[in-house]
Amino acid sequence: MQHFTSSLLKIGNRVNTESLDLLYQQYSRQVLSTLIRLLGEFELAEEAMQDAFYAAMQQWPVDGWPEHPVAWLITTGRRKGIDQIRRRQTARRYADEQLHLQDEAEPELDPTAIQDDQLRLIFTCCHPALSADARLALTLRELCGLTTEQVAAALLQKPTTLAQRIVRAKQKIKAAAIPYEIPHANELPARLQSVLQVIYLIYNEGYSSTSGTQLLNIQLADEAIRLGRQLALLLPEPEVHALLALMLLQHARQHARQNANGDLVTLEQQDRTLWLRPMLDEGLQWLALALTKPPAGVYTLQAAIAAVHSNATSYDETDWQQIQGLYQLLYQQWPSPVVALNRAVATAMHQGPEAGLQELDALSSHKAIQNYHLFHAAKADLYRRSGQFQPARIAYQRALALVQQEPERRFLQQRLATLPN
């Protein structure tokens, strides 16, 4: 396990708020995952984690930074959780658990077990007893620490609906005593699709944050890739290999996707010499492995699209006809408005902006896509490319009204400002 203090800001034995904030951002989900295993309940673990971080804020400035901060937080959180159970011992539903935890010795915090706790949490949240929407919402909320609003934006749903779904999912996990474990080998295939979808949504949040001041969350993307590697060892199936390929091929562009000021750089403008060639090569190897067992699934097709981009020496040399065909195959398997949006952009690049705009117009009847800022941003770009500046201006303004991420907002504002009058 990496040394947890390597990236934290320290001055002697003093601890500042910035360093604790960074620790929370980087490791709170890891702490929570282990506390759920140790305490056996989502809400209790969440409260215990917050209590542990509060204790750190009080103690570390006085006592100094512990050698292993995450282990300290997990141990302290467990003790805080047990204290809460003891305070509630008059409630019957906690009585048995309280007696069990009182007699249990302090667990040894094995680094490998701590890392595996996040994979266990994914499988718990993706249990088939939960609805598909609930699995996604719960995992993004608990494993990634996204707010309800961020999860709703990622899933194109209302925050109030998501909040209710998450609460019901937690209640069902508790009522049905869903185990906190990685399933047996014979149960893995039935759980695979939900887990793949969740890992990729985690990666997407790292690849492009739904809101906030940063375009990328490298640590979150790295974590999704780590989980993908673990899953590939557990279940070496083509779609697992393809998902890992897809994440690696996209993640290899990380240094070219923003400039020194943190501004977004489009694929068209990226310096491809900044793409990480070893990561691209590894992604292509995983894709080749996935392609040995047809038919191609949704992640294999998406990885193939990413591979076409990675093999192009420049934007102008991109094989847009092949990408358009791959998106058409993907849409046949996964007829979502977002896939249709990407297909329309590929059509525009291959056949011209008017052809792409026709496909986007056909999407206008989808209510969810109307609240998706990238739909309006794509329309604005195609109007701009075709010289229709007034419709482009309206579409950019609509996209700006919906966007929640600052680098994307700045990009859209710059594009809007450069439109001819």
Side-chain angles (χ1 to χ4, degrees):
M1 178 185 291
Q2 73 181 80
H3 196 277
F4 292 116
T5 62
S6 62
S7 63
L8 300 177
L9 303 173
K10 294 183 293 182
I11 305 175
N13 285 330
R14 297 183 61 81
V15 179
N16 57 40
T17 301
E18 186 178 359
S19 62
L20 278 169
D21 286 345
L22 182 58
L23 182 70
Y24 186 88
Q25 292 169 13
Q26 291 184 328
Y27 299 113
S28 62
R29 297 303 104 184
Q30 195 172 61
V31 172
L32 177 64
S33 298
T34 298
L35 287 176
I36 291 173
R37 171 169 62 85
L38 296 175
L39 298 172
E41 183 185 327
F42 278 88
E43 286 80 3
L44 181 60
E46 288 167 356
E47 292 177 19
M49 179 187 72
Q50 298 295 338
D51 288 345
F53 273 96
Y54 181 77
M57 291 177 64
Q58 303 300 309
Q59 295 181 34
W60 293 4
V62 177
D63 300 335
W65 197 282
E67 183 179 358
H68 298 293
V70 171
W72 187 98
L73 288 163
I74 291 171
T75 300
T76 302
R78 179 181 181 273
R79 292 170 182 165
K80 297 289 186 182
I82 292 174
D83 287 344
Q84 287 194 47
I85 291 173
R86 287 170 177 161
R87 289 195 295 270
R88 302 169 181 174
Q89 61 186 333
T90 54
R92 183 175 301 174
R93 66 192 179 102
Y94 287 104
D96 293 340
E97 187 177 1
Q98 184 263 341
L99 292 173
H100 169 70
L101 287 173
Q102 275 187 317
D103 295 335
E104 185 180 311
E106 194 75 57
E108 183 177 349
L109 296 177
D110 176 62
T112 302
I114 292 174
Q115 290 184 344
D116 287 347
D117 281 336
Q118 290 175 291
L119 198 57
R120 291 188 184 95
L121 181 55
I122 287 181
F123 276 102
T124 301
C125 294
C126 293
H127 195 277
L130 303 176
S131 70
D133 286 345
R135 296 173 206 164
L136 291 175
L138 184 61
T139 308
L140 290 171
R141 180 69 184 89
E142 300 304 323
L143 193 75
C144 300
L146 303 185
T147 64
T148 301
E149 290 74 18
Q150 288 172 321
V151 177
L155 301 181
L156 303 181
Q157 296 182 14
K158 294 181 179 179
T160 52
T161 302
L162 257 296
Q164 294 169 358
R165 187 166 287 135
I166 290 170
V167 169
R168 287 195 297 268
K170 289 179 180 179
Q171 291 172 342
K172 186 154 191 175
I173 288 173
K174 186 173 182 179
I178 291 175
Y180 183 76
E181 64 185 12
I182 296 172
H184 296 296
N186 62 341
E187 298 175 321
L188 281 171
R191 308 271 286 277
L192 179 61
Q193 204 55 42
S194 290
V195 173
L196 289 174
Q197 191 175 13
V198 164
I199 290 176
Y200 190 47
L201 280 172
I202 293 171
Y203 174 77
N204 276 340
E205 183 60 29
Y207 179 81
S208 182
S209 302
T210 54
S211 62
T213 60
Q214 302 297 317
L215 172 67
L216 310 176
N217 184 331
I218 299 297
Q219 196 235 354
L220 193 59
D222 286 340
E223 182 60 22
I225 291 172
R226 186 187 72 80
L227 292 170
R229 293 188 192 281
Q230 285 186 289
L231 192 59
L233 292 175
L234 272 175
L235 195 62
E237 293 290 333
E239 281 291 82
V240 179
H241 297 153
L243 173 60
L244 185 52
L246 173 58
M247 293 189 293
L248 289 167
L249 291 170
Q250 292 181 324
H251 202 42
R253 307 174 200 155
Q254 58 185 273
H255 298 308
R257 294 184 55 238
Q258 59 183 355
N259 61 22
N261 297 322
D263 293 328
L264 183 152
V265 180
T266 64
L267 184 61
E268 184 175 6
Q269 301 297 326
Q270 286 175 21
D271 178 358
R272 299 190 177 213
T273 64
L274 297 177
W275 291 4
L276 303 175
R277 193 70 243 177
M279 192 176 290
L280 288 174
D281 291 340
E282 184 188 358
L284 292 172
Q285 290 170 6
W286 282 109
L287 175 58
L289 186 59
L291 289 170
T292 60
K293 295 182 180 179
V298 295
Y299 294 105
T300 303
L301 290 169
Q302 289 178 84
I305 292 168
V308 175
H309 284 298
S310 69
N311 287 328
T313 56
S314 68
Y315 190 80
D316 291 337
E317 295 298 318
T318 304
D319 188 345
W320 288 108
Q321 182 176 4
Q322 185 178 6
I323 291 176
Q324 181 189 24
L326 287 167
Y327 269 122
Q328 179 58 31
L329 291 174
L330 179 61
Y331 187 77
Q332 290 171 5
Q333 292 194 38
W334 184 18
S336 80
V338 174
V339 173
L341 167 60
N342 286 311
R343 183 186 59 186
V345 172
T347 297
M349 296 301 103
H350 173 48
Q351 299 177 354
E354 290 292 348
L357 283 167
Q358 288 180 10
E359 291 192 20
L360 289 180
D361 286 342
L363 277 175
S364 299
S365 59
H366 290 270
K367 186 176 181 181
I369 204 74
Q370 284 292 337
N371 293 321
Y372 188 40
H373 74 281
L374 291 179
F375 170 72
H376 299 283
K379 288 185 71 173
D381 185 60
L382 296 187
Y383 280 131
R384 179 184 64 84
R385 290 175 184 270
S386 66
Q388 301 180 65
F389 301 124
Q390 184 56 28
R393 184 172 289 104
I394 294 171
Y396 276 128
Q397 290 170 343
R398 178 61 176 152
L400 280 166
L402 294 169
V403 69
Q404 299 182 51
Q405 185 204 96
E406 285 307 312
E408 288 186 318
R409 183 186 304 280
R410 292 197 300 271
F411 173 79
L412 292 170
Q413 287 172 335
Q414 291 165 3
R415 280 291 171 90
L416 178 60
T418 58
L419 286 178
N421 291 324

